[in-house]
Amino acid sequence: IATLLARKGALLTFHDPRVDAWSAGGVAIPRADDLMAAASQADAVLLLQAHDDYDADEPVARSQLFFDTRGASSNPAAIRL
């Protein structure tokens, strides 16, 4: 998903409480230290991995557009894929 988005010109960041560094297609993706700040600044947020560390509904409320690939959010604004 990240590689496809990057090829389309998306500027990517990631947040994962268990991962310090990540790359897609050989390109390092910057890590956002503050999930809520990153969610509020992003055009779209994709939840790709559900962790118990997260309350999935909180970033939905701060996002312009939130895609939930894990069914982790009960917020009706989340778009489930």
Side-chain angles (χ1 to χ4, degrees):
I1 292 173
T3 301
L4 293 173
L5 288 169
R7 285 184 190 156
K8 296 286 186 181
L11 301 176
L12 305 173
T13 59
F14 83 97
H15 181 275
D16 188 312
R18 300 176 186 164
V19 177
D20 292 325
W22 183 60
S23 64
V27 177
I29 307 299
R31 184 180 192 279
D33 292 323
D34 184 336
L35 172 61
M36 295 311 134
S40 67
Q41 295 170 3
D43 292 325
V45 175
L46 284 80
L47 176 68
L48 300 174
Q49 180 64 44
H51 289 300
D52 292 337
D53 307 49
Y54 290 130
D55 172 1
D57 291 329
E58 191 174 356
V60 176
R62 296 179 186 229
S63 302
Q64 295 179 49
L65 189 58
F66 189 96
F67 295 99
D68 181 355
T69 68
R70 309 310 269 171
S73 174
S74 60
N75 188 318
I79 299 167
R80 289 189 177 204
L81 301 176

